Amino acid sequence: MVGAAFLAVVIVTAIALIAQQASAPASAVVGAETDAGTGSTADGGSPVDDGVIDEDDGRIDESDRVSVFSGTPAVANLDAELLAALRAAATAAERDGVRLQVNSGWRSAAYQEQLLADAVEKYGSAEEAARWVATPEHSEHVSGDAVDLGPVAGQDWLSRHGAEFGLCQIYANEPWHFELRAMAPANGCPEMYEDPTADPRTQP
C-alpha cells in the first residue's frame, strides 16, 4: 500500500516537471545571432555569462517589426542626434509610402560579443567574421552610433534620400547599416568602406 502511494507521488511529480518545462518561454533558453545577409536578428546561440541575451541587451527578434519611434532599448539607447535624424527620415519616408524599421540598433557589449562568436562559427574564421561583426570595443552599435534598417525598400529610399538627414551607408557590403554624418546634408555622404575591416575605427 505504501509502495503504491510512493509510486503515485513520483508519477505526479514527473508530470508536473514535464508541464513546467513545456511552458517555459523560449527567451529563457536562447541567445541571438546576426544574419549578416539581412542585418536582422534571429533566435539561435547560447547564453552569455550564465544569463540570456534579451531585449534589455538590444536584441530584436527577426519576426518583430520595430518602429524607429519605439521605446525598446535597441532604439531608445541610440545616440540622441542619430535617433532624431532617423525619426525625421522615417517621417519623410512615410509620406512616400515607405516605412522604415529597425532590425538592430544599440547593443550591449555582451550581445555584441555573442554576435561576434556566432559570426566566427558561421564564417569559419575570425578574419572573415570581422567583415561583418566588430568587437564590442570597436562596435558603433555598442556606442549607439549605428543602426541597421529595413526593409529593402527602406534601404533603397535611404540610399537616395538619407544624406538629406545626415544618414549614410558606411559599408559597401552592408546596405542596412547607417550612421550619422553631420556634413552629409551639405556635402553628401562620404565614400563607403568596402567592409568593416577597411574602417580604421574597427581596428585594434
Side-chain angles (χ1 to χ4, degrees):
M1 192 76 169
V2 173
F6 177 75
L7 181 60
V9 169
V10 170
I11 292 172
V12 168
T13 302
I15 291 173
L17 286 172
I18 292 170
Q20 181 180 13
Q21 290 177 348
S23 64
S27 61
V29 294
V30 299
E33 64 183 4
T34 288
D35 178 351
T38 63
S40 60
T41 57
D43 292 340
S46 57
V48 176
D49 296 333
D50 297 324
V52 293
I53 298 300
D54 58 19
E55 183 178 339
D56 288 340
D57 292 286
R59 175 178 165 180
I60 295 175
D61 289 334
E62 186 178 41
S63 60
D64 290 343
R65 298 293 181 264
V66 176
S67 165
V68 303
F69 298 97
S70 170
T72 190
V75 178
N77 290 347
L78 289 171
D79 170 79
E81 291 183 358
L82 170 60
L83 184 55
L86 180 58
R87 288 174 170 173
T91 299
E94 190 85 25
R95 289 195 292 266
D96 289 341
V98 176
R99 179 164 296 178
L100 300 180
Q101 68 189 44
V102 177
N103 292 331
S104 190
W106 169 84
R107 303 168 186 158
S108 70
Y111 185 18
Q112 188 70 20
E113 189 68 48
Q114 181 64 59
L115 294 177
L116 181 58
D118 290 342
V120 171
E121 182 176 351
K122 178 176 182 176
Y123 295 109
S125 72
E127 291 76 16
E128 184 63 21
R131 296 187 60 240
W132 304 100
V133 183
T135 63
E137 297 79 12
H138 297 94
S139 171
E140 298 300 310
H141 284 281
V142 173
S143 66
D145 293 312
V147 61
D148 294 347
L149 297 167
V152 172
Q155 296 165 7
D156 178 65
W157 188 93
L158 284 169
S159 72
R160 292 179 284 112
H161 302 288
E164 301 170 26
F165 303 90
L167 297 172
C168 295
Q169 180 185 338
I170 303 301
Y171 305 121
N173 68 327
E174 296 187 0
W176 53 82
H177 180 107
F178 288 84
E179 298 179 21
L180 184 66
R181 294 293 180 268
M183 299 302 294
N187 302 327
C189 289
E191 184 176 352
M192 286 182 272
Y193 297 111
E194 181 178 351
D195 61 49
T197 63
D199 184 349
R201 300 173 303 167
T202 68
Q203 307 311 304

